């Protein structure tokens, strides 16, 4: 019985030390990843013709409910503003030129795969992770359905399978992670784009490409790559002929959202760990006092 108690206190002390060490490690500086070497996509809203083939390709690649490709030629959907949901990870909307309302531009909407994803920062179980290749991936096995990711996303992208009463999951663009990392292919939406409005590649190369297009055609594009700096940068970036305030993309600062959320989380955990360490120390003190008491009883007995 005494051995078990000793082992228990040893484990308590080791656990406390591990927690303290873990806390210290979590506070250590980690080298910034090279986002320019990660995958990204440049969306040229000037080149996009609104064919919606990217919607079909996404549904097909992700085995989502879909229709025949020809059905996506229906442009009446542009009369209403649409958002990605649990059954459609990407949609194409149209916005009008503020100078000429009859002139329309098309804009594909999906997860932006942020460099510092707020969804991953808000996820308390690590179900969402920024991979070293660039995509933000989702592990349904870890997800507890708290949906904090949906609240945290500045682009309001993650959707939830409310209609699935058995095993609901958070759904969003996967960036065709297996296709691009294991099969060496482009994302399905990029592969089918007929007008090269979507360009897949390393994020740094895409930024150079975007600047070259803007410099070569100053009257065609505004001097702004949306996503180069917004919320610390995103993997999906946009070119436009009009100010982005006239599109549905939100106006955001360059401050990564996790900078705020993680400051709060670290404050909570730094306050949480010391009491656990204290319990470990108290356990060792109680064990020592109990051992001294046993010796005294033995001496007097």
């Amino acid at each position: 019985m005494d051995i078990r108690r000793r082992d228990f206190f040893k484990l308590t002390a080791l656990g406390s030390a591990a927690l303290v060490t873990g806390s210290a490690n979590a506070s250590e500086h980690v080298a910034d990843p090279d986002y320019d070497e990660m995958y990204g996509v440049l969306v040229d809203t000037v080149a996009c013709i609104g064919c919606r083939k990217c919607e079909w390709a996404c549904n097909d690649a992700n085995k989502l409910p879909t229709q025949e490709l020809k059905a996506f030629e229906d442009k009446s959907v542009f009369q209403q503003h649409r958002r990605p949901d649990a059954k459609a990870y990407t949609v194409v909307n149209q916005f009008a030129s503020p100078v000429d309302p009859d002139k329309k531009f098309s804009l594909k909407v999906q997860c932006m795969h942020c460099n510092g994803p707020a969804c991953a920062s808000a996820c308390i179980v690590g179900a969402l992770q920024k991979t070293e290749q660039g995509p933000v991936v989702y592990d349904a096995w870890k997800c507890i359905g708290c949906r904090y990711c949906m609240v945290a996303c500045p682009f309001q992208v993650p959707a939830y399978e409310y209609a699935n009463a058995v095993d609901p999951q958070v759904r969003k663009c996967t960036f065709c992670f297996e296709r691009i990392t294991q099969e060496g292919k482009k994302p399905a939406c990029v592969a089918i784009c007929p007008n090269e409005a979507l360009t897949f590649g390393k994020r740094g190369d895409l930024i150079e490409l975007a600047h070259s297009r803007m410099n070569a055609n100053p009257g065609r594009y505004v001097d702004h790559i949306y996503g180069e700096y917004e919320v610390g940068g995103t993997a999906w970036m946009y070119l436009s002929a009009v100010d982005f305030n006239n599109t549905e993309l939100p106006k955001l600062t360059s401050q990564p959202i996790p900078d705020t959320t993680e400051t709060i989380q670290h404050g909570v955990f730094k306050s949480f760990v010391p009491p656990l360490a204290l319990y470990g120390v108290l356990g060792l003190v109680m064990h020592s006092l109990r051992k001294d008491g046993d010796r005294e009883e033995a001496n007097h007995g």
Side-chain angles (χ1 to χ4, degrees):
M1 184 67 181
D2 186 50
I3 293 175
R4 291 179 181 175
R5 192 168 63 234
R6 186 182 303 121
D7 290 343
F8 167 76
F9 285 123
K10 281 182 179 179
L11 290 172
T12 303
L14 287 171
S16 300
L19 283 170
V20 172
T21 303
S23 175
N25 288 341
S27 301
E28 291 175 355
H29 175 72
V30 178
D32 292 334
D34 187 355
Y35 296 115
D36 284 352
E37 288 299 313
M38 295 182 179
Y39 290 125
V41 172
L42 179 65
V43 183
D44 190 333
T45 63
V46 179
C48 181
I49 57 175
C51 67
R52 300 179 58 214
K53 289 182 178 177
C54 55
E55 293 185 22
W56 176 85
C58 177
N59 292 349
D60 184 63
N62 290 286
K63 298 180 173 54
L64 298 172
T66 191
Q67 299 172 286
E68 292 183 358
L69 179 57
K70 187 173 180 58
F72 286 79
E73 295 177 2
D74 178 14
K75 302 300 191 295
S76 65
V77 296
F78 293 143
Q79 295 175 6
Q80 294 183 335
H81 180 262
R82 300 178 298 154
R83 295 290 304 169
D85 59 32
K87 296 181 179 178
Y89 298 166
T90 187
V91 296
V92 177
N93 289 322
Q94 284 193 334
F95 61 94
S97 165
V99 178
D100 181 5
D102 290 332
K103 187 173 181 55
K104 306 289 186 182
F105 296 99
S106 300
L107 186 144
K108 181 180 179 297
V109 183
Q110 72 295 304
C111 173
M112 300 287 280
H113 297 273
C114 303
N115 292 345
C119 59
S121 176
C123 183
I124 58 178
V125 294
L128 288 158
Q129 296 284 341
K130 177 74 172 179
T131 63
E132 62 182 11
Q133 295 90 348
V136 176
V137 298
Y138 170 71
D139 187 340
W141 187 85
K142 293 180 180 177
C143 182
I144 59 175
C146 68
R147 286 162 283 166
Y148 290 163
C149 55
M150 298 172 64
V151 178
C153 177
F155 302 101
Q156 301 180 344
V157 165
Y160 196 67
E161 293 180 314
Y162 291 104
N164 181 356
V166 179
D167 185 26
Q169 298 180 8
V170 171
R171 313 305 285 169
K172 70 172 195 68
C173 164
T174 63
F175 210 149
C176 290
F177 183 69
E178 283 75 20
R179 276 177 63 102
I180 65 175
T181 61
Q182 298 178 17
E183 301 174 24
K185 298 179 179 178
K186 298 177 181 177
C189 58
V190 176
I192 201 172
C193 183
N195 211 36
E196 297 184 352
L198 303 176
T199 305
F200 171 73
K202 295 294 180 65
R203 187 174 183 273
D205 296 335
L206 295 175
I207 292 173
E208 288 188 14
L209 173 63
H211 280 292
S212 68
R213 288 188 186 180
M214 291 189 299
N215 293 334
N217 304 278
R220 193 179 188 194
Y221 301 100
V222 294
D223 187 18
H224 182 183
I225 307 170
Y226 189 96
E228 183 178 8
Y229 298 113
E230 278 79 5
V231 290
T234 58
W236 282 68
M237 298 172 288
Y238 290 80
L239 288 176
S240 173
V242 302
D243 190 294
F244 283 100
N245 289 336
N246 297 297
T247 73
E248 65 181 273
L249 294 172
K251 186 175 183 178
L252 300 167
T253 70
S254 60
Q255 181 74 18
I257 291 179
D259 283 1
T260 302
T261 58
E262 290 180 2
T263 298
I264 297 173
Q265 291 173 356
H266 289 176
V268 171
F269 283 108
K270 281 182 177 178
S271 300
F272 178 65
V273 170
L276 290 177
L278 177 61
Y279 292 147
V281 173
L282 289 175
L284 290 173
V285 172
M286 292 173 62
H287 174 59
S288 178
L289 291 176
R290 179 65 178 272
K291 195 173 182 179
D292 290 343
D294 291 344
R295 286 174 180 167
E296 287 182 6
E297 287 181 6
N299 291 335
H300 292 318

